[in-house]
Amino acid sequence: MARGKLGTRHGAKTMTIQIRQENLIDGATGPWEVIIGLEVHAQVTSKSKLFSGASTEFGGEPNSHVSLVDAAMPGMLPVINEECVRQAIRTGLGLKAEINLYSVFDRKNYFYPDLPQGYQISQYKYPIVGAGVVTVDMKDGYSVEVGIERVHLEQDAGKSLHDQHAEFSFVDLNRSGVALMEIVSRPDLRSSEEAKAYVTKLRTILRYLGTCDGNMEQGSLRADVNVSVRKLGAPLGTRCEIKNVNSIRFIGQAIDVEARRQIAILEEGGSIDQETRLFDPKSGQTRSMRSKEEAHDYRYFPDPDLLPLELTQGYVDAIAKNLPELPDQKKARFIRDFALSVYDAGVLVADKENADYFETVAKGRDPKLAANWVTGDLFGVLNRLGKGIDESPVRADHLGELIDLISGGVISGRIAKDVFEIMVETGEAPGRIVDERGLKQVTDTGAIEKAVDEVIAANPKQVEQVRLKPQTLGWFVGQVMKATGGKANPAALNAILKERLGLGE
Amino acid sequence: MKVDEATVRHVARLARIKVSGQEAQSLQRELSAILDWVEQLDAVDTNGVEPMTRVEAMALPQRSDAVTDGGIPDQIVKNAPLTEDHFFVVPKVVE
């Protein structure tokens, strides 16, 4: 029987992490280093639950997506959903992790009204996914290799509502039994910025893989954040765990405030209690969850209702073969094939939909121009409208057509900006807009000459001046452009102006 | 194996069972006796023996990902002492 190694610490992977001055927090007694590790709970994308055939759909009527298994009625037995197993394997492969061909489901025992079984089915000693790595590119241009310790499958709990009644809590089990992946990082992060970038990157990878929708508002992605501080070169400090932080911004805030809290205590000669804390976004503080302390005695044991999960290498290899292109690969390809800057490529691949849109626009066209339009003009508009790329008023093929119109000399770059604005408002194709509104560039030299002559005749003073100071030519360009509604071909206009004003090349 | 009273109380607390002083003492004796009995297994040398996970050679049964259950909120809350709009209603639990 193939068996995962128990408790391997993957010591060989441990590397010294370079200390960056900008990550240190200045205390009264000198600089402090912050050590962060995250446990991210990601809801597995599947139609039905991990151990029952009830729907995973978000927002159903109370207790309508609940089977007798999820409600833990006596005699009910769990049967595992093969798709959830496949998704966990895909995730493991996407995190460049080892897939354990032998894993075991355990019972994690605790009592809470939204946990009808009295235990959560989870994996403890033998998780399905072992050590992996996520490369996080930081804004400042450096990268962090964040070690993944493990990924295991487990059940989500139900939901308690406390604001419906003064004396009672209301419990809805629709989430009960939905499959989660707990993705445990090594303590390789050294600032809130790095932690935020890590979760962002992890979310991107999961969305590329299609194994978690990454929807943080609906709770599909939540993090427990472990934070400790130490003086440079000192051994690791005592850590606190901040539970259930449900937005990337809050993860950053929680880390900063928790690190400062710990530093303040230590600098006053106190010590840190290892405990579970809660981040309250309203007060911007973390506070102790004392009730959780005793519950830490979970008395794990193998679930007698479930046999060990055994996989074959062939099954894993077949899944690996069908893995989609991942963000790092796509980024490398964009840099290589489209000669994009590292920054542009990074921005574009952060969201798969953005990357797909860009590829449609860039196909067969100048990629730099396409990148500028997508990351500059289009993202600007989407930001302004508060819309995602899937709701973009401008279709990718339309934006491509607009670039063709510029490259083909049909419209000038300046007019293109106006056409783009009209596209945003109307959703129409640029070719049609240009035709209907007569925005085609005037390359007919006769028409441009006429406009130039009129401007020269009307402005004798400026003509005097431009002969002494040729750099004021721009003023004439502007006047003629105004007269032609911006449609004059810039190159033709420049040539004619210089000729008429007697300015040599 | 001797179980002390503190351990009895800790286990009772984890199991949400209320235990009086007298009960704790008798439970201390009972639990110790049970553990002593089980401890006889320590006499067997299990070095190199895989833990037994099944009696017959069979693999974990798996099901395909389809919605085949749910939609029975009436039945789900039927035995609950208190419900409202198909919610279970329980004494307030809030931090």
Side-chain angles (χ1 to χ4, degrees), chain B residues 12-49:
Chain B
R13 165 89 188 119
L14 289 173
R16 298 294 187 275
I17 296 170
K18 197 176 196 173
V19 171
S20 71
Q22 227 176 356
E23 282 172 322
Q25 282 178 8
S26 66
L27 277 170
Q28 211 180 315
R29 279 194 305 276
E30 283 177 39
L31 288 177
S32 298
I34 292 168
L35 290 174
D36 284 342
W37 184 73
V38 173
E39 234 168 33
Q40 296 177 71
L41 292 173
D42 290 351
V44 184
D45 180 8
T46 55
N47 269 331
V49 180

Side-chain angles (χ1 to χ4, degrees), chain A residues 51-115:
Chain A
F51 295 115
S52 91
S55 170
T56 58
E57 204 184 309
F58 180 81
E61 291 294 306
N63 288 312
S64 62
H65 298 160
V66 182
S67 76
L68 298 177
V69 178
D70 310 316
M73 293 297 171
M76 296 297 114
L77 286 174
V79 184
I80 200 164
N81 181 341
E82 64 180 5
E83 174 65 8
C84 296
V85 173
R86 217 174 63 88
Q87 293 284 51
I89 296 169
R90 285 161 62 83
T91 301
L93 293 169
L95 302 176
K96 300 175 195 139
E98 53 185 281
I99 307 300
N100 293 324
L101 300 181
Y102 179 94
S103 68
V104 173
F105 288 96
D106 295 274
R107 292 185 179 180
K108 177 180 180 179
N109 299 278
Y110 67 93
F111 287 106
Y112 206 73
D114 58 21
L115 187 79

Side-chain angles (χ1 to χ4, degrees), chain A residues 445-464:
Chain A
T445 43
I448 299 174
E449 278 169 0
K450 185 167 166 277
V452 167
D453 289 344
E454 281 169 12
V455 169
I456 288 176
N459 299 285
K461 250 195 198 153
Q462 278 77 4
V463 173
E464 282 294 311

Side-chain angles (χ1 to χ4, degrees), chain A residues 54-277:
Chain A
S55 170
T56 58
E57 204 184 309
F58 180 81
E61 291 294 306
N63 288 312
S64 62
H65 298 160
V66 182
S67 76
L68 298 177
V69 178
D70 310 316
M73 293 297 171
M76 296 297 114
L77 286 174
V79 184
I80 200 164
N81 181 341
E82 64 180 5
E83 174 65 8
C84 296
V85 173
R86 217 174 63 88
Q87 293 284 51
I89 296 169
R90 285 161 62 83
T91 301
L93 293 169
L95 302 176
K96 300 175 195 139
E98 53 185 281
I99 307 300
N100 293 324
L101 300 181
Y102 179 94
S103 68
V104 173
F105 288 96
D106 295 274
R107 292 185 179 180
K108 177 180 180 179
N109 299 278
Y110 67 93
F111 287 106
Y112 206 73
D114 58 21
L115 187 79
Q117 287 168 159
Y119 56 85
Q120 176 193 35
I121 304 179
S122 181
Q123 298 190 297
Y124 187 51
K125 286 185 184 168
Y126 303 100
I128 183 165
V129 177
V133 66
V134 173
T135 305
V136 181
D137 295 327
M138 298 301 299
K139 262 194 217 108
D140 313 357
Y142 71 96
S143 298
V144 186
E145 299 272 302
V146 182
I148 299 295
E149 195 161 296
R150 58 185 280 162
V151 179
H152 66 252
L153 277 169
E154 63 184 25
Q155 297 175 303
D156 202 352
K159 190 176 168 59
S160 306
L161 304 172
H162 305 296
D163 52 2
Q164 309 285 305
H165 195 283
E167 295 154 61
F168 297 103
S169 293
F170 285 31
V171 179
D172 174 17
L173 300 181
N174 280 350
R175 295 191 70 102
S176 167
V178 169
L180 301 179
M181 295 177 283
E182 181 170 324
I183 303 163
V184 183
S185 87
R186 296 187 60 81
D188 290 347
L189 298 155
R190 294 291 177 271
S191 72
S192 56
E193 287 306 316
E194 289 185 1
K196 281 157 64 181
Y198 163 71
V199 177
T200 305
K201 180 65 179 285
L202 191 59
R203 181 175 178 274
T204 301
I205 293 171
L206 297 175
R207 284 171 56 83
Y208 268 65
L209 289 164
T211 59
C212 169
D213 67 19
N215 189 328
M216 298 192 86
E217 290 86 58
Q218 295 183 359
S220 301
L221 204 68
R222 342 193 264 272
D224 296 343
V225 188
N226 287 294
V227 180
S228 67
V229 299
R230 67 173 170 193
K231 287 281 181 138
L232 301 189
L236 287 176
T238 305
R239 68 188 162 85
C240 288
E241 180 181 14
I242 310 161
K243 278 275 179 201
N244 237 343
V245 191
N246 63 1
S247 91
I248 290 175
R249 193 162 55 95
F250 290 161
I251 289 171
Q253 290 176 3
I255 290 169
D256 286 336
V257 73
E258 176 61 16
R260 293 214 166 269
R261 185 190 72 89
Q262 292 183 13
I263 291 168
I265 291 173
L266 293 170
E267 289 193 330
E268 279 166 23
S271 63
I272 305 299
D273 295 328
Q274 183 167 344
E275 62 176 358
T276 308
R277 299 181 68 84

Side-chain angles (χ1 to χ4, degrees), chain A residues 193-460:
Chain A
E193 287 306 316
E194 289 185 1
K196 281 157 64 181
Y198 163 71
V199 177
T200 305
K201 180 65 179 285
L202 191 59
R203 181 175 178 274
T204 301
I205 293 171
L206 297 175
R207 284 171 56 83
Y208 268 65
L209 289 164
T211 59
C212 169
D213 67 19
N215 189 328
M216 298 192 86
E217 290 86 58
Q218 295 183 359
S220 301
L221 204 68
R222 342 193 264 272
D224 296 343
V225 188
N226 287 294
V227 180
S228 67
V229 299
R230 67 173 170 193
K231 287 281 181 138
L232 301 189
L236 287 176
T238 305
R239 68 188 162 85
C240 288
E241 180 181 14
I242 310 161
K243 278 275 179 201
N244 237 343
V245 191
N246 63 1
S247 91
I248 290 175
R249 193 162 55 95
F250 290 161
I251 289 171
Q253 290 176 3
I255 290 169
D256 286 336
V257 73
E258 176 61 16
R260 293 214 166 269
R261 185 190 72 89
Q262 292 183 13
I263 291 168
I265 291 173
L266 293 170
E267 289 193 330
E268 279 166 23
S271 63
I272 305 299
D273 295 328
Q274 183 167 344
E275 62 176 358
T276 308
R277 299 181 68 84
L278 207 60
F279 176 68
D280 177 8
K282 276 189 208 119
S283 67
Q285 300 295 315
T286 65
R287 61 183 162 83
S288 181
M289 289 175 79
R290 293 193 196 288
S291 62
K292 276 271 176 190
E293 293 317 299
E294 197 164 36
H296 265 281
D297 192 344
Y298 289 126
R299 296 147 293 144
Y300 282 97
F301 63 89
D303 191 322
D305 288 341
L306 292 159
L307 287 165
L309 175 60
E310 288 158 304
L311 308 165
T312 64
Q313 191 59 48
Y315 183 71
V316 175
D317 291 345
I319 293 172
K321 227 177 256 167
N322 290 309
L323 229 49
E325 185 183 40
L326 291 168
D328 288 348
Q329 297 163 330
K330 200 184 279 288
K331 185 175 173 184
R333 181 167 63 82
F334 278 11
I335 293 169
R336 188 183 64 231
D337 293 358
F338 294 132
L340 292 187
S341 69
V342 173
Y343 179 80
D344 278 352
V347 169
L348 286 167
V349 303
D351 213 308
K352 186 168 178 295
E353 283 72 27
N354 289 349
D356 291 346
Y357 188 103
F358 165 75
E359 278 207 78
T360 309
V361 176
K363 202 171 179 192
R365 304 192 174 92
D366 175 0
K368 189 66 202 160
L369 202 53
N372 285 345
W373 276 96
V374 173
T375 60
D377 303 87
L378 182 75
F379 285 2
V381 161
L382 294 177
N383 247 338
R384 196 177 76 210
L385 301 176
K387 287 187 171 179
I389 196 125
D390 50 326
E391 312 160 294
S392 168
V394 177
R395 280 166 36 182
D397 57 332
H398 284 171
L399 187 50
E401 192 187 329
L402 181 68
I403 292 170
D404 289 342
L405 293 175
I406 304 165
S407 311
V410 179
I411 55 174
S412 67
R414 227 208 72 190
I415 287 287
K417 301 279 178 190
D418 297 341
V419 174
F420 181 75
E421 281 306 319
I422 298 168
M423 290 163 72
V424 170
E425 277 163 38
T426 64
E428 276 176 30
R432 201 172 141 195
I433 294 170
V434 168
D435 281 345
E436 282 180 356
R437 308 198 183 205
L439 297 172
K440 271 202 184 119
Q441 190 158 244
V442 179
T443 40
D444 165 14
T445 43
I448 299 174
E449 278 169 0
K450 185 167 166 277
V452 167
D453 289 344
E454 281 169 12
V455 169
I456 288 176
N459 299 285

